[in-house]
């Protein structure tokens, strides 16, 4: 079990952040397309207690993740979850297992993630169907300092999940509520091809 501590930065200029990462000597880890399915009971019992059960396909690797509220380790400054994660050999078989246990896909989401390491922090440049974001993950006292080195503005930081941010954007635009946020088929194909070259 690990504690996930992070801040997200909205409306991020990926080119500027990437240039700052390079000038700061950050190490690139890779860039990939992610497909995510969040599972819950039909009555959304996991969501009601702040838990998340996610099956992710990252490139050609599948990962099962459970996030739970942190108990004593809460923070108002950064988002904190206890995170339990394990590789999965067969994405479709794991989906079948979860559904056999009574879980259903509550929503799905996709993103392109480009990951860098700088000091003790992981920095992710995320492209989602509704915008460009940067996540900075690490120890609480180092996240803000790392973000400042990269030119990220504190006023654009938040602790919301991408699910919550999606719902916020939909509300701002006056669109019908839609929990899933995925790329259209043409854009998905383009992004997958782009991340594989």
């Amino acid at each position: 079990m690990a504690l996930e501590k992070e801040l997200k930065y909205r409306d991020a200029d990926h080119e500027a952040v990437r240039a700052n990462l390079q000038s700061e000597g950050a190490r690139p880890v890779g860039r990939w397309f992610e497909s995510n399915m969040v599972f819950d009971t039909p009555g959304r019992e996991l969501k009601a207690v702040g838990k998340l059960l996610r099956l992710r396909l990252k490139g050609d690797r599948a990962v099962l993740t459970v996030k739970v509220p942190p108990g004593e380790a809460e923070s108002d400054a950064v988002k904190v979850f206890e995170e339990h994660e394990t590789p999965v050999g067969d994405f479709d078989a794991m989906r079948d297992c979860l559904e056999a246990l009574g879980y259903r896909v509550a929503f799905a989401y996709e993103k392109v993630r480009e990951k860098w390491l700088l000091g003790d922090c992981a920095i992710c440049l995320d492209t989602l169907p509704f915008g460009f974001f940067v996540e900075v993950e690490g120890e609480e006292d180092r996240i803000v300092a790392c973000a400042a080195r990269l030119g990220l503005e504190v006023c654009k930081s938040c602790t919301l999940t991408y699910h919550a941010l999606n719902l916020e954007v939909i509300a701002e635009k006056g669109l019908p509520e839609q929990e899933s946020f995925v790329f259209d088929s043409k854009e998905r194909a383009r992004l997958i091809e782009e991340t594989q070259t």
Side-chain angles (χ1 to χ4, degrees):
M1 184 270 303
L3 280 179
E4 178 191 60
K5 301 177 183 179
E6 68 181 31
L7 273 180
K8 286 184 177 68
Y9 292 81
R10 309 176 203 212
D11 305 317
D13 181 340
H14 283 182
E15 287 187 24
V17 174
R18 190 179 296 111
N20 289 338
L21 283 162
Q22 291 168 341
S23 68
E24 290 286 339
R27 183 169 61 88
V29 174
R31 186 168 185 262
W32 55 84
F33 187 89
E34 286 183 5
S35 296
N36 300 272
M37 293 179 179
V38 174
F39 288 81
D40 207 333
T41 63
R44 302 298 290 270
E45 294 168 46
L46 295 179
K47 180 181 179 184
V49 293
K51 295 181 180 180
L52 177 119
L53 175 60
R54 179 183 66 209
L55 182 59
R56 168 175 285 168
L57 190 58
K58 176 179 155 179
D60 60 353
R61 292 176 32 235
V63 178
L64 183 69
T65 304
V66 175
K67 294 186 183 188
V68 298
E72 299 298 317
E74 290 191 50
S75 167
D76 292 331
V78 298
K79 185 179 89 173
V80 181
F81 276 103
E82 286 182 13
E83 186 174 71
H84 308 268
E85 201 164 73
T86 188
V88 171
D90 187 320
F91 181 91
D92 293 327
M94 178 55 73
R95 178 178 181 169
D96 291 345
C97 289
L98 293 171
E99 291 179 343
L101 291 169
Y103 294 106
R104 299 291 176 258
V105 177
F107 64 94
Y109 67 99
E110 297 173 335
K111 68 178 180 238
V112 173
R113 170 160 279 185
E114 178 181 339
K115 187 172 182 179
W116 295 71
L117 299 177
L118 178 59
D120 296 333
C121 291
I123 298 93
C124 298
L125 283 60
D126 290 339
T127 302
L128 287 96
F130 60 92
F132 300 94
F133 300 83
V134 173
E135 268 188 12
V136 182
E137 186 175 331
E139 289 304 314
E140 185 172 340
D141 59 336
R142 305 210 177 166
I143 291 174
V144 175
C146 178
R149 286 173 67 185
L150 299 175
L152 296 165
E153 300 175 50
V154 174
C155 65
K156 291 187 176 180
S157 70
C158 72
T159 59
L160 297 175
T161 64
Y162 281 133
H163 178 250
L165 286 166
N166 173 58
L167 294 177
E168 196 174 83
V169 168
I170 283 172
E172 286 170 4
K173 293 182 176 180
L175 300 171
E177 188 171 306
Q178 169 60 41
E179 289 195 84
S180 293
F181 44 103
V182 297
F183 296 99
D184 66 47
S185 57
K186 190 174 181 180
E187 181 69 357
R188 180 184 304 113
R190 185 189 72 77
L191 290 168
I192 289 172
E193 183 179 350
E194 183 183 280
T195 57
Q196 291 174 345
T197 57

